[in-house]
Amino acid sequence: MIPLKLKRRYLRAPMNNECLYKDSDTISSAYVYNISEGGCLLGRIQNELSSEQFTTFLDIPCIPDFTKLSVNEIMMTGVESFSREVIGTVVETRRSKIDQLTGLYEIGCEFVDIRRESQEKINDYVRNFSVNTVFSLTLFEQGTHRDEVKNLIRQCSTLLNYEKGLSMAKIREQLLHDYQSLESL
């Protein structure tokens, strides 16, 4: 048997929301593409950062575990009802690249100074996102020809912060992609 070589130490989950960061004396906004216990991927950064270490302020939604909710509870839940935790943490740049089309920077960051409570919020987010991704994928096995299943899938994708108006095929494709990203070690 060929031994498994791990590429990544921590599971990561898509975040798809904005954050603030402080570089020198300037506070700017960026976009958080994904997050894990060990760090995050930031993008849409206008200028090259002046130092390797900087402070980020991340908005972590407390998404519920869909498997512990009834169908009615899921359907009645809105993203606006999620409690949120804004955490400030020092990160260090591990890799950086420029998007050739936009000229904006993407930076892979590692958490270097983070409170345990903040790390637990991130772990909860990643764990629940993972469980909810699997839950949403299993809904496809019930058949998307039934309106109640389609509506539940659409609601789950909305709660997972996917783009609205996607076809069932695109939602499934995105869920599969994110599942593979979560599980790709």
Side-chain angles (χ1 to χ4, degrees), residues 88-106:
T89 180
V90 175
V91 296
E92 185 167 294
T93 302
R94 290 297 177 216
R95 60 193 153 281
S96 177
K97 73 174 190 171
I98 298 175
D99 184 319
Q100 297 301 320
L101 294 174
T102 65
L104 300 175
Y105 289 86
E106 282 185 9

Side-chain angles (χ1 to χ4, degrees), residues 119-137:
Q119 195 129 42
E120 288 171 4
K121 292 288 183 190
I122 293 169
N123 291 345
D124 289 345
Y125 173 80
V126 172
R127 181 180 50 254
N128 284 346
F129 195 96
S130 176
V131 167
N132 293 341
T133 299
V134 173
F135 173 84
S136 299
L137 281 169

